[in-house]
Amino acid sequence: MKWWGLPAKVWMTCFILLPFVWLVVLSLQTSYTASPPTKLDFHQFNRALTHPYRGIIRDSLLMSFAAALAVLMISVPVTWLISRLPRAKRNLWLAFFTIPLGLNFVVRIYAWFVLLRPEGLLTVFLGRFGFAIPLVSSQFGVFLGLVYGYLPVIFLPLYSVFERLENSHIEAAQDLGASSWQRWRDVIIPETQSGLLASFLFVFVPMLGEYLIPRMIGGGLVATLGTQIESQFLGSGRPNWPFGAALSICLLLSAACILVICFKILSRSTAERQTGWSISHIV
Amino acid sequence: MNESLLTLQEISAALNGRAVLKEVSFDVKQGEFFSLLGPSGCGKTTLLRIIAGFLTSHSGKLLWSGTDITHLPPQSRDLNLVFQNYALFPHLNVFENVAFGLRMMKLDERIIIERVKESLALVRMSEHALRRVTELSGGQQQRIALARAVAPRPKLVLLDEPLGALDLQLRRDMQVELKSLQRQLGMTFLYVTHDQEEAFSMSDRIAILNSGQLEQVDAPEVLYSLPASRFVAKFIGNANFIPVERTALATARCLASQQEYSLNMANTSLANSASNSASNANNILGDVLVRPEQVELVSTPLTNQTNSLSGTIQLRQFLGANVRYHLELEGPERRMMIVDQPSTQQTICQPGEKVLMRLPKSPLPFFPADSAQ
């Protein structure tokens, strides 16, 4: 490593490693008042993994997973189409879809909240068709909010994944007799799967820690991991930093677990594709 | 062999408002090695994409053994394309790349394995079946792309400058291999290239395309000895044009030496030229085509030789089998000529030397001056 690697090392140590160590130490304390820590134990983790927090963690994982999947499903066709446009037209469309990123997040979510209110446009509209579902202060509302909030975020990474896919590969598949969905199943998805997974995680992980959307749309009635952590640190009631730290570490670990699982599945499916079908017949 | 497999009927195409193909018509016959030859930007790639089905022609028809396939999507056409950049699937190994087309046909696993093995053996890549395609060299990737295209046994294989990225020696080896492979399989190959040597070394017939227009479709020998236009004459091999005045239907007088030559009337450009029908008696100015190796150099300048011209040697190049002389013709225009003499010949002429060029007695192609270029 040359000397210019030094700033990065210093940065990593000061702003990532040390705070993380501090977080771990914090989470092992019985109460915030005892400082410096006298006794370290797993009391906070015990609490985090029992009722009601265990349910909250599970629900947060499920909801973030579902919302990230929905974001992916919505953005894949759109970014795909944009990536296949003539170069000159691509940037315009891309700008259209990423302009929301330039707007304040709170403003965007509030605008969405206005639509979701009982007297909001979307609720009234859905009610006309017999779908009278409460969209604020509900899990579903928070889900919609997450999807809306993170759509512009996934756009650029996903676009760059598809943009790199060579048209000739798709044409080759078509030339060899692959129908439209066979091209997706056998060429487009397998060739871009690592990029798709990275884009998915790119929205899934921040969704897991999201507290603004559950706060504003959930109206305090939908408890998520993010809101719990926030209230432990900044809450108006009795802040409990050690417990907040423990919850944060739970969030971090579950995100890491999912990351590892995803990559395991991915590398196994790639290995299978490379050799699975053919190895026994040839050798 | 004579059954026509693919017929193009007045295919026209435009890209961004610019015409790239102008009423191109030709036939590709069952089992032949057919090449589409032309300089870059002549529209040959566009034509190939129309045949493969990735582009739709502006007007005109595409017939497949007589049935109209103009609007058939690529996946429904019984032809496979070898891409210029090979377009192998990086997520699949060699075996699965070759098996791709067969899997799309939903064949039995046993048959798929059989056919893949067979195709890999054809291109001598059997031992690489389980490698990743990204680990292969350019030449090996090229073979896999070829094996992938022939594995589903299509009636027609399209090849889009497949040897373009290979070095010269490998390219020459692959030319021989491609040709023998095509013979062996009995498949029809349609080969697109800008390299005339490549097209000549493999093709049964060649179509020459120039800025979207078809110039000539013929066997290589015919293209070389009887080019239909000045473009074809210049594009294929080296061409010397000697200014003449046509005096009768089959004779011309050289403007420099006032000597008479016999003309080749099989030449289509002359047969089609409007001036031909107007009057045979009228003298027409133009050029006759002489290939470099048709000329014999005589170093002792004698006058009054029949069918000969005098000139001065400007440059001599040793090319191995041949010695190439660049000469300046005597006369007001001082035209340059290229003459190839076998290097086994004893007489060696030096630059500056005055020599006599003896032209062949056989009839020469004539191009009237008004046929542009």
Side-chain angles (χ1 to χ4, degrees):
Chain A
M1 188 62 100
K2 300 252 169 59
W3 63 267
W4 40 260
L6 198 68
K9 279 183 185 165
V10 172
W11 177 274
M12 288 283 280
T13 315
C14 292
F15 297 108
I16 295 174
L17 196 65
L18 290 179
F20 181 71
V21 170
W22 170 234
L23 196 72
V24 172
V25 170
L26 197 60
S27 71
L28 294 173
Q29 290 176 38
T30 327
S31 72
Y32 188 47
T33 46
S35 170
T38 47
K39 195 177 81 187
L40 299 179
D41 64 16
F42 288 95
H43 167 77
Q44 305 294 358
F45 284 96
N46 257 337
R47 197 179 153 206
L49 293 175
T50 49
H51 184 78
Y53 294 103
R54 190 166 60 181
I56 290 174
I57 291 176
R58 188 196 57 217
D59 287 354
S60 297
L61 279 170
L62 283 176
M63 190 193 286
S64 302
F65 193 85
L69 206 62
V71 166
L72 192 70
M73 303 268 253
I74 295 168
S75 52
V76 160
V78 182
T79 44
W80 167 258
L81 288 177
I82 293 174
S83 75
R84 301 296 116 176
L85 283 176
R87 196 164 283 277
K89 288 186 186 166
R90 286 187 215 162
N91 290 339
L92 186 72
W93 280 99
L94 217 56
F96 262 136
F97 283 98
T98 47
I99 275 175
L101 282 179
L103 297 173
N104 185 286
F105 197 62
V106 178
V107 173
R108 271 199 290 143
I109 299 305
Y110 189 74
W112 191 236
F113 172 71
V114 169
L115 284 176
L116 296 180
R117 280 182 308 181
E119 64 277 23
L121 212 59
L122 197 64
T123 317
V124 171
F125 181 77
L126 284 175
R128 283 271 175 85
F129 293 92
F131 298 102
I133 352 166
L135 293 179
V136 283
S137 310
S138 73
Q139 294 269 1
F140 186 62
V142 174
F143 168 81
L144 286 182
L146 285 173
V147 172
Y148 170 75
Y150 281 91
L151 257 179
V153 177
I154 203 175
F155 245 80
L156 285 176
L158 205 55
Y159 167 78
S160 78
V161 167
F162 284 138
E163 202 222 3
R164 261 176 292 152
L165 182 64
E166 275 199 55
N167 225 11
S168 67
H169 292 187
I170 302 151
E171 286 183 347
Q174 192 179 9
D175 183 69
L176 290 163
S179 62
S180 172
W181 83 270
Q182 282 172 323
R183 295 199 287 278
W184 274 94
R185 189 196 62 186
D186 294 332
V187 178
I188 301 171
I189 291 174
E191 275 198 34
T192 54
Q193 59 183 355
S194 57
L196 293 181
L197 181 65
S199 304
F200 172 82
L201 293 173
F202 195 70
V203 291
F204 171 73
V205 174
M207 273 180 182
L208 206 52
E210 181 60 51
Y211 70 92
L212 194 71
I213 293 173
R215 255 294 146 76
M216 292 182 72
I217 294 176
L221 293 172
V222 181
T224 66
L225 201 47
T227 55
Q228 291 310 305
I229 294 169
E230 187 232 0
S231 66
Q232 297 307 329
F233 282 101
L234 308 169
S236 50
R238 276 175 45 224
N240 186 344
W241 285 30
F243 185 52
L247 284 175
S248 296
I249 287 168
C250 288
L251 184 139
L252 196 77
L253 287 178
S254 41
C257 275
I258 285 176
L259 227 101
V260 168
I261 291 169
C262 284
F263 280 109
K264 270 273 151 58
I265 292 171
L266 186 74
S267 64
R268 216 174 70 198
S269 82
T270 312
E272 251 167 42
R273 229 171 257 281
Q274 283 290 333
T275 50
W277 273 332
S278 42
I279 199 154
S280 54
H281 310 300
I282 289 285
V283 183
Chain B
M1 182 78 187
N2 290 320
E3 187 91 358
S4 85
L5 176 67
L6 180 74
T7 310
L8 281 76
Q9 286 182 347
E10 296 179 351
I11 296 284
S12 297
L15 283 180
N16 306 324
R18 194 175 58 89
V20 277
L21 289 172
K22 297 162 199 156
E23 301 191 344
V24 175
S25 305
F26 61 79
D27 254 336
V28 179
K29 297 193 167 51
Q30 191 85 52
E32 78 176 331
F33 199 121
F34 191 95
S35 285
L36 212 52
L37 177 64
S40 52
C42 72
K44 55 191 189 303
T45 302
T46 308
L47 192 55
L48 187 85
R49 292 178 65 78
I50 288 172
I51 295 171
F54 297 122
L55 284 177
T56 318
S57 58
H58 220 246
S59 64
K61 266 188 185 173
L62 210 59
L63 300 182
W64 183 264
S65 308
T67 46
D68 192 346
I69 58 159
T70 317
H71 299 287
L72 209 62
Q75 62 265 40
S76 310
R77 299 186 182 195
D78 190 13
L79 53 83
N80 288 333
L81 176 55
V82 178
F83 286 77
Q84 191 166 14
N85 62 357
Y86 317 136
L88 297 175
F89 305 121
H91 64 289
L92 298 176
N93 64 13
V94 168
F95 183 95
E96 288 303 331
N97 261 281
V98 178
F100 194 92
L102 301 166
R103 292 207 187 280
M104 293 302 120
M105 293 162 81
K106 299 206 164 61
L107 294 177
D108 188 64
E109 187 70 23
R110 278 235 193 103
I111 300 174
I112 292 179
I113 294 162
E114 207 53 47
R115 293 257 204 108
V116 172
K117 278 183 175 174
E118 197 182 287
S119 304
L120 284 175
L122 268 176
V123 295
R124 294 190 276 114
M125 288 290 289
S126 303
E127 69 271 34
H128 300 295
L130 297 179
R131 299 212 13 220
R132 291 167 147 270
V133 289
T134 43
E135 293 166 356
L136 302 177
S137 71
Q140 288 172 324
Q141 288 188 13
Q142 210 279 320
R143 283 157 198 268
I144 299 307
L146 189 66
R148 185 179 69 176
V150 301
R153 297 190 186 156
K155 285 225 174 66
L156 178 65
V157 180
L158 304 176
L159 301 103
D160 186 8
E161 308 217 10
L163 309 182
L166 307 181
D167 60 57
L168 188 63
Q169 190 51 50
L170 193 55
R171 204 153 67 210
R172 292 209 168 126
D173 293 345
M174 283 303 291
Q175 287 170 11
V176 177
E177 228 169 284
L178 268 179
K179 178 69 185 169
S180 63
L181 191 71
Q182 185 259 343
R183 278 276 158 76
Q184 216 176 324
L185 291 166
M187 277 179 196
T188 312
F189 274 31
L190 200 156
Y191 193 95
V192 170
T193 181
H194 64 268
D195 184 336
Q196 59 104 357
E197 186 202 306
E198 207 165 278
F200 267 48
S201 70
M202 295 185 283
S203 316
D204 297 315
R205 287 196 307 150
I206 299 172
I208 301 210
L209 217 53
N210 178 30
S211 45
Q213 232 143 7
L214 191 67
E215 295 270 341
Q216 192 173 5
V217 185
D218 258 314
E221 298 84 352
V222 181
L223 288 174
Y224 190 74
S225 56
L226 284 176
S229 63
R230 281 168 197 262
F231 174 82
V232 176
K234 275 189 274 189
F235 191 64
I236 289 168
N238 288 303
N240 295 307
F241 292 104
I242 299 169
V244 295
E245 182 180 17
R246 201 184 78 178
T247 49
L249 201 57
T251 49
R253 190 175 55 235
C254 178
L255 295 179
S257 64
Q258 299 295 311
Q259 282 164 346
E260 296 269 314
Y261 300 119
S262 56
L263 290 183
N264 197 323
M265 291 317 295
N267 189 353
T268 45
S269 82
L270 179 61
N272 294 338
S273 77
S275 48
N276 188 33
S277 54
S279 162
N280 291 332
N282 270 4
N283 292 357
I284 304 167
L285 293 177
D287 297 286
V288 291
L289 168 71
V290 183
R291 294 293 186 188
E293 68 285 353
Q294 288 181 304
V295 182
E296 193 195 337
L297 284 189
V298 184
S299 55
T300 46
L302 300 165
T303 45
N304 279 341
Q305 285 259 4
T306 51
N307 270 20
S308 59
L309 289 168
S310 53
T312 314
I313 291 175
Q314 300 286 330
L315 189 73
R316 187 172 69 97
Q317 291 173 297
F318 180 72
L319 301 177
N322 288 320
V323 179
R324 175 164 293 172
Y325 294 101
H326 296 254
L327 298 111
E328 192 185 273
L329 278 190
E330 229 163 57
E333 280 189 72
R334 316 181 82 183
R335 282 209 188 189
M336 293 300 292
M337 265 187 82
I338 293 172
V339 175
D340 285 346
Q341 300 290 291
S343 48
T344 47
Q345 209 176 45
Q346 294 303 310
T347 49
I348 291 169
C349 305
Q350 294 305 329
E353 200 172 327
K354 271 202 159 192
V355 288
L356 210 58
M357 285 165 271
R358 199 177 282 148
L359 302 184
K361 292 238 164 55
S362 58
L364 297 169
F366 172 76
F367 299 96
D370 53 19
S371 76
Q373 295 167 24

Coordinates of all heavy atoms in Angstrom, one line a residue, chain A residues 29-79:
Chain A
Q29 N -23.7 -2.8 28.1 CA -23.9 -2.2 29.4 C -25.3 -2.5 29.9 O -26.3 -2.6 29.1 CB -23.7 -0.7 29.3 CG -22.2 -0.4 29.1 CD -22.0 1.1 28.9 OE1 -22.7 1.9 29.6 NE2 -21.1 1.4 28.1
T30 N -25.4 -2.5 31.2 CA -26.7 -2.7 31.8 C -27.6 -1.5 31.7 O -28.7 -1.5 31.3 CB -26.6 -3.1 33.3 OG1 -25.4 -3.9 33.5 CG2 -27.8 -3.9 33.7
S31 N -27.0 -0.4 32.1 CA -27.8 0.9 31.9 C -26.8 2.0 31.5 O -25.6 1.9 31.7 CB -28.5 1.2 33.2 OG -27.5 1.7 34.1
Y32 N -27.4 3.0 30.9 CA -26.6 4.1 30.4 C -25.9 4.9 31.5 O -24.9 5.5 31.3 CB -27.5 5.0 29.6 CG -26.7 6.1 28.8 CD1 -25.6 5.7 28.1 CD2 -27.1 7.4 28.8 CE1 -24.9 6.6 27.4 CE2 -26.4 8.4 28.1 CZ -25.3 8.0 27.4 OH -24.6 8.9 26.7
T33 N -26.5 4.9 32.7 CA -26.0 5.7 33.7 C -24.6 5.2 34.2 O -23.8 6.0 34.7 CB -27.0 5.7 34.9 OG1 -27.4 4.4 35.1 CG2 -28.1 6.6 34.6
A34 N -24.4 3.9 34.2 CA -23.1 3.4 34.6 C -22.0 3.7 33.6 O -21.9 3.1 32.6 CB -23.2 1.8 34.8
S35 N -21.3 4.7 33.9 CA -20.2 5.1 33.0 C -19.0 5.5 33.8 O -19.1 6.3 34.7 CB -20.7 6.2 32.1 OG -19.6 6.7 31.4
P36 N -17.8 5.0 33.6 CA -17.5 4.0 32.7 C -18.1 2.6 33.0 O -18.4 2.4 34.1 CB -15.9 4.0 32.7 CG -15.6 4.4 34.1 CD -16.7 5.4 34.5
P37 N -18.2 1.8 32.0 CA -18.8 0.5 32.2 C -18.1 -0.3 33.2 O -16.9 -0.5 33.2 CB -18.8 -0.2 30.8 CG -17.7 0.5 30.1 CD -17.8 1.9 30.6
T38 N -18.9 -0.8 34.1 CA -18.2 -1.6 35.2 C -18.4 -3.1 34.9 O -17.5 -3.9 35.0 CB -18.9 -1.3 36.5 OG1 -20.3 -1.3 36.3 CG2 -18.5 0.0 37.1
K39 N -19.6 -3.4 34.5 CA -19.9 -4.9 34.2 C -20.5 -5.0 32.8 O -21.3 -4.2 32.4 CB -20.9 -5.3 35.3 CG -21.0 -6.9 35.4 CD -21.9 -7.3 36.5 CE -23.3 -7.2 35.9 NZ -24.4 -7.4 36.9
L40 N -20.0 -6.0 32.0 CA -20.5 -6.2 30.7 C -21.4 -7.4 30.7 O -21.0 -8.5 31.2 CB -19.4 -6.4 29.7 CG -18.4 -5.2 29.5 CD1 -17.3 -5.5 28.5 CD2 -19.2 -3.9 29.1
D41 N -22.6 -7.3 30.1 CA -23.4 -8.5 30.0 C -24.3 -8.4 28.8 O -24.4 -7.4 28.1 CB -24.2 -8.8 31.2 CG -25.2 -7.7 31.5 OD1 -25.5 -6.9 30.6 OD2 -25.7 -7.6 32.7
F42 N -25.1 -9.5 28.5 CA -25.9 -9.6 27.3 C -27.4 -9.3 27.6 O -28.2 -9.6 26.8 CB -25.8 -11.0 26.7 CG -24.4 -11.2 26.0 CD1 -23.4 -11.8 26.7 CD2 -24.2 -10.7 24.7 CE1 -22.1 -11.9 26.0 CE2 -23.0 -10.9 24.1 CZ -21.9 -11.5 24.7
H43 N -27.5 -8.6 28.7 CA -28.9 -8.2 29.1 C -29.7 -7.6 28.0 O -30.8 -7.9 27.7 CB -28.8 -7.3 30.4 CG -30.1 -6.7 30.7 ND1 -31.1 -7.4 31.3 CD2 -30.6 -5.4 30.5 CE1 -32.2 -6.6 31.5 NE2 -31.9 -5.4 31.0
Q44 N -29.1 -6.6 27.3 CA -29.8 -5.8 26.3 C -30.2 -6.7 25.1 O -31.3 -6.5 24.5 CB -29.0 -4.6 25.8 CG -28.5 -3.7 26.9 CD -29.6 -3.0 27.6 OE1 -30.8 -3.1 27.2 NE2 -29.3 -2.2 28.6
F45 N -29.3 -7.6 24.8 CA -29.6 -8.5 23.7 C -30.7 -9.5 24.0 O -31.5 -9.8 23.2 CB -28.3 -9.3 23.3 CG -27.3 -8.4 22.5 CD1 -26.3 -7.8 23.1 CD2 -27.5 -8.2 21.1 CE1 -25.4 -7.0 22.5 CE2 -26.6 -7.4 20.4 CZ -25.6 -6.8 21.1
N46 N -30.7 -9.9 25.2 CA -31.8 -10.8 25.7 C -33.1 -10.1 25.5 O -34.1 -10.7 25.0 CB -31.6 -11.0 27.2 CG -31.1 -12.4 27.4 OD1 -31.2 -13.3 26.5 ND2 -30.4 -12.7 28.6
R47 N -33.1 -8.8 25.9 CA -34.4 -8.0 25.8 C -34.8 -7.9 24.3 O -35.9 -8.0 23.9 CB -34.2 -6.7 26.4 CG -35.4 -6.0 26.7 CD -35.2 -4.7 27.4 NE -36.3 -3.8 27.1 CZ -36.2 -2.5 27.1 NH1 -35.0 -1.9 27.3 NH2 -37.2 -1.7 26.8
A48 N -33.7 -7.6 23.4 CA -34.0 -7.4 22.0 C -34.6 -8.6 21.3 O -35.3 -8.5 20.4 CB -32.7 -6.9 21.3
L49 N -34.2 -9.8 21.9 CA -34.6 -11.0 21.2 C -35.9 -11.6 21.8 O -36.2 -12.8 21.5 CB -33.5 -12.0 21.1 CG -32.3 -11.5 20.2 CD1 -31.2 -12.4 20.2 CD2 -32.8 -11.3 18.7
T50 N -36.5 -10.9 22.7 CA -37.8 -11.5 23.3 C -38.9 -10.6 22.9 O -38.7 -9.5 22.4 CB -37.7 -11.6 24.8 OG1 -37.2 -10.4 25.3 CG2 -36.7 -12.7 25.2
H51 N -40.1 -11.0 23.2 CA -41.3 -10.3 23.0 C -41.3 -8.9 23.6 O -40.8 -8.8 24.8 CB -42.5 -11.0 23.5 CG -43.8 -10.4 23.2 ND1 -44.4 -10.5 21.9 CD2 -44.6 -9.6 23.9 CE1 -45.5 -9.8 22.0 NE2 -45.7 -9.2 23.1
P52 N -41.7 -7.8 23.0 CA -42.3 -7.7 21.7 C -41.2 -7.5 20.6 O -41.6 -7.4 19.4 CB -43.2 -6.5 21.8 CG -42.5 -5.6 22.7 CD -41.7 -6.5 23.7
Y53 N -40.0 -7.3 21.0 CA -39.0 -6.8 20.0 C -38.6 -7.9 19.0 O -38.3 -7.6 17.8 CB -37.7 -6.3 20.7 CG -38.0 -5.1 21.5 CD1 -38.2 -5.2 22.9 CD2 -38.2 -3.9 20.9 CE1 -38.5 -4.0 23.6 CE2 -38.5 -2.8 21.6 CZ -38.7 -2.8 23.0 OH -39.0 -1.7 23.7
R54 N -38.7 -9.2 19.4 CA -38.4 -10.2 18.4 C -39.4 -10.1 17.2 O -39.0 -10.2 16.0 CB -38.5 -11.6 19.0 CG -38.0 -12.7 18.1 CD -37.8 -13.9 18.9 NE -39.1 -14.4 19.4 CZ -39.2 -15.5 20.2 NH1 -38.1 -16.2 20.4 NH2 -40.3 -15.9 20.7
G55 N -40.7 -9.9 17.5 CA -41.7 -9.8 16.5 C -41.4 -8.6 15.6 O -41.6 -8.6 14.4
I56 N -41.0 -7.5 16.2 CA -40.7 -6.3 15.5 C -39.6 -6.5 14.5 O -39.7 -6.1 13.3 CB -40.4 -5.1 16.4 CG1 -41.7 -4.7 17.2 CG2 -39.9 -3.9 15.7 CD1 -41.5 -3.7 18.3
I57 N -38.5 -7.2 15.0 CA -37.4 -7.4 14.1 C -37.8 -8.3 12.9 O -37.5 -8.0 11.8 CB -36.3 -8.1 14.9 CG1 -35.6 -7.1 15.9 CG2 -35.2 -8.7 13.9 CD1 -34.6 -7.7 16.8
R58 N -38.6 -9.3 13.2 CA -39.1 -10.2 12.2 C -39.9 -9.5 11.2 O -39.7 -9.6 9.9 CB -39.9 -11.4 12.8 CG -40.2 -12.5 11.8 CD -41.3 -13.4 12.4 NE -42.5 -12.6 12.7 CZ -43.3 -12.8 13.8 NH1 -43.0 -13.7 14.6 NH2 -44.3 -12.0 14.0
D59 N -40.9 -8.7 11.7 CA -41.8 -7.9 10.8 C -41.0 -6.9 9.9 O -41.3 -6.8 8.7 CB -42.8 -7.1 11.6 CG -43.9 -8.1 12.2 OD1 -43.8 -9.3 11.8 OD2 -44.7 -7.6 12.9
S60 N -40.0 -6.3 10.5 CA -39.2 -5.3 9.8 C -38.4 -6.0 8.6 O -38.4 -5.5 7.5 CB -38.2 -4.7 10.7 OG -38.8 -3.9 11.7
L61 N -37.9 -7.2 9.0 CA -37.2 -8.0 7.9 C -38.1 -8.3 6.8 O -37.8 -8.1 5.6 CB -36.6 -9.3 8.5 CG -35.2 -9.1 9.3 CD1 -34.9 -10.4 10.1 CD2 -34.1 -8.7 8.3
L62 N -39.3 -8.9 7.2 CA -40.2 -9.3 6.1 C -40.7 -8.1 5.3 O -40.7 -8.2 4.1 CB -41.4 -9.9 6.8 CG -41.2 -11.4 7.3 CD1 -42.5 -11.9 8.0 CD2 -40.9 -12.3 6.1
M63 N -41.0 -7.0 6.0 CA -41.5 -5.9 5.2 C -40.5 -5.3 4.3 O -40.7 -5.0 3.1 CB -42.0 -4.8 6.1 CG -42.8 -3.7 5.4 SD -43.1 -2.3 6.3 CE -44.4 -2.9 7.4
S64 N -39.2 -5.1 4.8 CA -38.2 -4.6 4.0 C -37.9 -5.5 2.8 O -37.7 -5.0 1.7 CB -36.9 -4.4 4.8 OG -37.1 -3.6 5.9
F65 N -37.9 -6.8 3.1 CA -37.7 -7.8 2.0 C -38.7 -7.6 0.9 O -38.4 -7.5 -0.3 CB -37.7 -9.2 2.6 CG -37.1 -10.2 1.6 CD1 -35.8 -10.4 1.5 CD2 -38.0 -10.9 0.8 CE1 -35.2 -11.3 0.6 CE2 -37.5 -11.9 -0.1 CZ -36.1 -12.1 -0.2
A66 N -40.0 -7.6 1.3 CA -41.1 -7.5 0.4 C -41.0 -6.2 -0.4 O -41.2 -6.1 -1.6 CB -42.4 -7.6 1.1
A67 N -40.7 -5.1 0.4 CA -40.7 -3.8 -0.3 C -39.5 -3.7 -1.3 O -39.7 -3.2 -2.4 CB -40.6 -2.7 0.7
A68 N -38.4 -4.3 -0.9 CA -37.2 -4.2 -1.8 C -37.5 -5.1 -3.0 O -37.1 -4.7 -4.1 CB -36.0 -4.7 -1.1
L69 N -38.2 -6.2 -2.8 CA -38.5 -7.0 -4.0 C -39.5 -6.3 -4.9 O -39.3 -6.3 -6.1 CB -39.2 -8.3 -3.5 CG -39.1 -9.5 -4.3 CD1 -37.6 -9.9 -4.5 CD2 -39.9 -10.7 -3.8
A70 N -40.5 -5.6 -4.3 CA -41.4 -4.8 -5.1 C -40.7 -3.7 -5.9 O -41.0 -3.5 -7.1 CB -42.5 -4.2 -4.2
V71 N -39.8 -3.1 -5.2 CA -39.0 -2.0 -5.9 C -38.3 -2.6 -7.1 O -38.2 -2.0 -8.2 CB -38.0 -1.3 -4.9 CG1 -37.0 -0.5 -5.6 CG2 -38.8 -0.5 -3.9
L72 N -37.7 -3.7 -6.9 CA -36.9 -4.4 -7.9 C -37.8 -4.8 -9.1 O -37.5 -4.5 -10.3 CB -36.2 -5.6 -7.4 CG -35.1 -6.3 -8.2 CD1 -33.9 -5.4 -8.3 CD2 -34.8 -7.7 -7.7
M73 N -38.9 -5.4 -8.8 CA -39.9 -5.8 -9.8 C -40.4 -4.6 -10.7 O -40.6 -4.8 -11.9 CB -41.1 -6.5 -9.2 CG -40.7 -7.7 -8.3 SD -40.6 -9.2 -9.3 CE -42.1 -10.0 -8.6
I74 N -40.6 -3.5 -10.0 CA -41.1 -2.4 -10.7 C -40.0 -1.7 -11.6 O -40.3 -1.4 -12.7 CB -41.7 -1.3 -9.7 CG1 -42.9 -1.8 -9.0 CG2 -42.1 0.0 -10.5 CD1 -43.4 -1.0 -7.8
S75 N -38.8 -1.6 -11.0 CA -37.8 -0.9 -11.7 C -37.1 -1.7 -12.8 O -36.5 -1.1 -13.7 CB -36.8 -0.4 -10.7 OG -36.3 -1.4 -9.9
V76 N -37.1 -3.1 -12.7 CA -36.4 -3.9 -13.7 C -37.0 -3.6 -15.1 O -36.2 -3.3 -16.0 CB -36.5 -5.4 -13.4 CG1 -36.2 -6.2 -14.6 CG2 -35.4 -5.7 -12.3
P77 N -38.3 -3.7 -15.4 CA -38.7 -3.5 -16.7 C -38.4 -2.1 -17.2 O -38.0 -1.9 -18.4 CB -40.3 -3.7 -16.7 CG -40.5 -4.3 -15.4 CD -39.4 -4.1 -14.5
V78 N -38.6 -1.1 -16.3 CA -38.4 0.3 -16.7 C -36.9 0.6 -17.1 O -36.6 1.1 -18.1 CB -38.9 1.3 -15.6 CG1 -38.7 2.7 -16.1 CG2 -40.3 1.0 -15.3
T79 N -36.0 0.2 -16.2 CA -34.6 0.4 -16.5 C -34.2 -0.4 -17.7 O -33.3 0.1 -18.4 CB -33.7 0.1 -15.3 OG1 -34.1 -1.2 -14.7 CG2 -33.8 1.1 -14.2

